[in-house]
Amino acid sequence: MVKSYKEYLAQIDTLIFDVDGVLTNGIVTVFPNGELVRHMNIKDGYALKSAVVAGLRVCIISGGTNEGVRTRLEKLGITDIYLGAHNKIKQYQELVTKYKLDAANVIYMGDDIPDVPVMKLVGLPCCPNDAAPEVQQISKYISDKKGGEGCARDVIEQVLKVQGKWDGNFDSKYD
């Protein structure tokens, strides 16, 4: 019998997210000077900060290299931020070693082919509902939200509710 994704939520202690296509809608605005601008959902930001405040480990592994993304995530209290990650297994293994992670207690939310190798290693691979078919195929949970439209908030809120840590009274203020 296949385990429901909800059965994994109580044991989750680490949340790992990709950026483009998960925390953003995957659209990049390119300015004439070559600057790339992404849009992030404020509700995802609140949930990320709330997860940090609630004591969950929140990590980012992204192929993108925009330092503005790092600044935004650092303001949310996230310290493990890997940008420019083209072989995401390497960064994942660094996290496993650094924190002695049990893969069964890890969520990874990705949306495209570069996320697949790590998603195959974690206990609860997740994705937004507009993820690539190959990602959806291996996900144990597919959010009803699209990338950049609250999919991170969706999974974080579920974890925190199951663990009794979502009460709506977080001291999750940020810039």
Side-chain angles (χ1 to χ4, degrees), residues 42-138:
I42 199 76
K43 291 178 183 172
D44 283 343
Y46 180 79
L48 289 163
K49 178 67 174 178
S50 298
V52 170
V53 169
L56 294 177
R57 186 174 300 105
V58 180
C59 311
I60 304 297
I61 303 176
S62 175
T65 58
N66 185 295
E67 287 301 314
V69 169
R70 181 185 310 279
T71 300
R72 163 78 173 138
L73 296 170
E74 286 174 346
K75 285 184 178 183
L76 298 175
I78 301 170
T79 58
D80 292 295
I81 303 169
Y82 296 93
L83 301 181
H86 299 293
N87 176 4
K88 296 182 178 192
I89 290 283
K90 178 183 174 195
Q91 287 77 21
Y92 173 72
Q93 290 172 334
E94 284 180 28
L95 290 167
V96 168
T97 301
K98 180 178 180 180
Y99 295 111
K100 297 178 178 38
L101 298 180
D102 179 345
N105 301 336
V106 177
I107 282 178
Y108 184 99
M109 183 173 258
D111 73 303
D112 211 347
I113 304 302
D115 300 306
V116 169
V118 176
M119 293 177 75
K120 287 181 175 180
L121 297 177
V122 302
L124 186 52
C126 302
C127 69
N129 73 5
D130 59 344
E134 297 87 347
V135 172
Q136 290 188 23
Q137 188 174 39
I138 63 166

Side-chain angles (χ1 to χ4, degrees), residues 8-21:
Y8 293 88
L9 300 178
Q11 65 192 28
I12 296 299
D13 62 16
T14 303
L15 304 158
I16 304 173
F17 295 93
D18 177 32
V19 175
D20 292 322

